[in-house]
Amino acid sequence: MFDVAVFGSLFLTLFVIMDPPGITPIFLALTAGRPGKVQKRMAFQAVCVAGGVITVFGLLGHQILDYLHVSVPALMIAGGLLLLLIALDLLTGKTDEPKQTKDVNVALVPLGMPLLAGPGAIVSVILAVQKADGVASQVSVWAAILAIHVVLWLVMRYSLLIIRVIKDGGVVLVTRLAGMMLSAIAVQQIINGITQVIKGS
């Protein structure tokens, strides 16, 4: 009642798209200045939000997009623009301002969505669920989704140990680095969306 090939294929796909190692500097940058307990809670919240979004789209993805008359490329471009705005804040240091860090729960946006549960991950899950034609395949698909979220939670939770080593100056450096990485991810996502629009026209 378990298809190893389906599990491995989807897990690797989501690992590349959701990028647990790459999310570490972004997580550290967005949660900088908060107590350790709060950061750990935010890591858990982000994974829960991402898991919830991906589960909903895995079960009802096509119906939701059809009902809203939204194409996958449009979803990719919108997600890319949102990420770009956040990346610019990281690069300019606006996220260091106390008002923003206290009032905004970054575990929901942008960590939970669209960083973790982004268009790429959502589309991959929709297609995987659609292709799974048996009980074994369905179990394998959902097991892979659960496994990648456990990995994401572990990576973010234990990335907090890095803060103790790099101190405040290192956090600022990581924040700028995260901004650069995030802006590149955002631009690539927008390019991918535009490319799909051109191919489909």
Side-chain angles (χ1 to χ4, degrees):
M1 297 294 290
F2 192 81
D3 192 324
V4 177
V6 171
F7 174 87
S9 176
L10 181 58
F11 181 83
L12 287 175
T13 300
L14 291 177
F15 190 91
V16 171
I17 293 172
M18 301 176 88
D19 191 16
I23 201 68
T24 301
I26 297 172
F27 172 75
L28 291 175
L30 291 173
T31 60
R34 293 177 171 86
K37 287 184 179 180
V38 174
Q39 290 176 311
K40 290 176 183 178
R41 185 173 72 244
M42 293 179 82
F44 182 72
Q45 288 176 337
V47 170
C48 287
V49 169
V53 170
I54 284 181
T55 298
V56 169
F57 275 94
L59 296 172
L60 304 168
H62 279 295
Q63 293 90 325
I64 292 172
L65 293 180
D66 289 343
Y67 177 78
L68 297 174
H69 303 290
V70 174
S71 65
V72 172
L75 186 65
M76 295 177 72
I77 294 170
L81 290 172
L82 178 59
L83 288 181
L84 188 58
L85 290 174
I86 295 159
L88 292 174
D89 280 346
L90 288 175
L91 284 169
T92 56
K94 288 184 179 179
T95 52
D96 296 334
E97 295 173 9
K99 289 183 179 179
Q100 286 194 335
T101 56
K102 288 180 180 178
D103 296 341
V104 178
N105 187 354
V106 295
L108 307 180
V109 178
L111 277 175
M113 183 179 181
L115 269 177
L116 298 182
I122 289 171
V123 171
S124 297
V125 168
I126 290 174
L127 294 177
V129 171
Q130 189 177 14
K131 291 178 182 177
D133 52 3
V135 176
S137 296
Q138 285 287 346
V139 170
S140 302
V141 164
W142 291 105
I145 293 170
L146 177 62
I148 191 63
H149 282 82
V150 170
V151 170
L152 285 164
W153 174 71
L154 289 173
V155 168
M156 287 192 291
R157 188 186 189 284
Y158 290 103
S159 68
L160 299 177
L161 297 174
I162 298 173
I163 294 179
R164 298 177 186 175
V165 178
I166 63 177
K167 307 298 182 183
D168 291 341
V171 170
V172 174
L173 178 62
V174 167
T175 300
R176 301 300 179 265
L177 176 62
M180 290 179 61
M181 291 172 57
L182 197 55
S183 61
I185 292 170
V187 170
Q188 186 60 56
Q189 196 163 288
I190 294 170
I191 291 171
N192 291 344
I194 294 173
T195 302
Q196 288 195 24
V197 171
I198 294 172
K199 287 181 179 178
S201 61

